[in-house]
Amino acid sequence: MGYDNHPTKVADLKVVLLGESAVGKSSLVQRFATNSFDNNRESTIGAAFITKKIYLSDENLNNNSNELKLINFQIWDTAGQERYKSLTPMYYRNANVAIVVYDLTDYQSLKKAENWVNELKLYIRDNQFENSSVSAKNSLTIYLVGNKLDLLSIKENEGPEFPLSLNNIQTYKTSALTGEGIDTLFNSIINDVTDDQFVDVDDLDFDKNSKNHKNSRNGLLVDLTAGRGGTNSSDGFTEFGGCSC
Ligand SMILES: Nc1nc2c(ncn2[C@@H]2O[C@H](COP(=O)(O)OP(=O)(O)OP(=O)(O)O)[C@@H](O)[C@H]2O)c(=O)[nH]1
């Protein structure tokens, strides 16, 4: 099957990034979206919104049904500065995935990540209480990410010791600077998307004329035309909407 074919199934995946300021949330998103890194990134104001399409190639699928699946990542990159904290529930509400980021070289940022995980657990508990039959479509999965792996020397230990409350959370180590660990993190997120999160394209108004530039990366077909918007002072976007980055 050729990849000029259109996807047969599509899943919208709402992702939110949370964590202390300067741990590298925006840099992780940039690495994922455009496989690039910006040394002079400015702190996010409010939140930034980025979209990214990932096509799942045949070898990613556990069946021989000639299906091409598409995951539409809708990523909210929140500002880590304390003054924006009260806005954050607005972004994790209705999210499918929360990526809680800390800096592997900064113990305080791990404590902050622990606070976020506890807040998210309370949200999940209350949400499940309200909806007794929660499907994967409307549940929230937490991924804990220690970033700046490149700053840990081989001799050093594996980063700060984990508080017990974080023991049952999936954890990953990344470097937005080198790209190490980014594919592992996002492949896990993709693998955790369940069948009931996909809808048949026949049921959607899919734009059959859209042209996507696809690139093979670790078995995934990656659409390099990521869109972004939001209020990040470094790129000057002041409203939501698609533009190339
Ligand atoms: N060495 C190293 N530096 C990184 C890495 N990721 C980000 N940085 C740097 O850390 C600083 C903060 O990165 P950001 O991506 O802006 O951090 P943030 O968590 O989005 O910060 P806020 O927007 O304030 O919440 C920048 O100077 C980045 O260049 C990494 O993996 N390794």
Side-chain angles (χ1 to χ4, degrees):
M1 168 178 161
Y3 295 121
D4 286 338
N5 289 355
H6 297 290
T8 49
K9 286 176 182 286
V10 178
D12 288 336
L13 199 68
K14 293 174 197 138
V15 179
V16 63
L17 280 97
L18 303 166
E20 173 83 286
S21 181
V23 294
K25 298 180 295 298
S26 304
S27 302
L28 278 176
V29 172
Q30 183 182 340
R31 175 61 74 187
F32 173 60
T34 61
N35 199 18
S36 62
F37 182 80
D38 179 1
N39 256 321
N40 301 312
R41 218 169 215 301
E42 285 180 40
S43 198
T44 304
I45 297 169
F49 180 65
I50 292 139
T51 59
K52 169 87 177 167
K53 293 181 194 311
I54 297 281
Y55 290 83
L56 300 184
S57 60
D58 283 351
E59 65 259 35
N60 291 103
L61 303 174
N62 295 328
N63 57 48
N64 297 314
S65 59
N66 264 4
E67 279 182 338
L68 181 61
K69 288 183 172 177
L70 167 64
I71 299 181
N72 275 324
F73 277 83
Q74 300 167 354
I75 304 177
W76 283 102
D77 171 24
T78 66
Q81 290 177 34
E82 197 58 35
R83 65 188 139 140
Y84 299 114
K85 187 169 187 313
S86 61
L87 298 175
T88 314
M90 190 163 83
Y91 300 110
Y92 66 67
R93 218 169 279 143
N94 299 322
N96 306 106
V97 167
I99 302 176
V100 179
V101 187
Y102 69 98
D103 177 340
L104 282 163
T105 67
D106 175 5
Y107 184 68
Q108 274 316 310
S109 73
L110 179 60
K111 294 299 291 174
K112 201 69 173 276
E114 185 187 16
N115 294 342
W116 278 120
V117 169
N118 289 336
E119 182 170 329
L120 290 170
K121 281 180 176 171
L122 284 178
Y123 167 75
I124 292 167
R125 191 200 63 188
D126 293 348
N127 207 40
Q128 282 178 339
F129 186 69
E130 277 169 25
N131 306 293
S132 48
S133 58
V134 181
S135 69
K137 216 176 228 171
N138 51 22
S139 69
L140 174 66
T141 309
I142 305 171
Y143 301 80
L144 181 65
V145 176
N147 188 42
K148 305 197 183 179
L149 185 55
D150 56 284
L151 295 180
L152 284 188
S153 74
I154 293 168
K155 274 195 268 131
E156 266 176 333
N157 60 28
E158 316 240 302
E161 203 170 309
F162 266 26
L164 282 178
S165 65
L166 296 178
N167 271 354
N168 54 351
I169 303 290
Q170 298 192 53
T171 61
Y172 296 86
K173 287 181 184 155
T174 59
S175 167
L177 190 153
T178 65
E180 189 177 354
I182 305 282
D183 281 345
T184 307
L185 167 66
F186 282 94
N187 281 340
S188 299
I189 291 172
I190 288 165
N191 286 333
D192 287 346
V193 178
T194 55
D195 279 346
D196 75 333
Q197 291 178 268
F198 284 93
V199 291
D200 289 333
V201 168
D202 289 347
D203 298 338
L204 297 171
D205 187 16
F206 187 74
D207 177 9
K208 296 199 170 182
N209 295 320
S210 71
K211 284 240 182 317
N212 295 308
H213 308 291
K214 295 173 207 129
N215 192 13
S216 184
R217 181 172 143 193
N218 279 9
L220 297 176
L221 285 180
V222 180
D223 180 351
L224 297 178
T225 55
R228 65 176 301 149
T231 54
N232 189 313
S233 59
S234 64
D235 51 25
F237 294 126
T238 52
E239 58 184 14
F240 306 130
C243 72
S244 293
C245 65

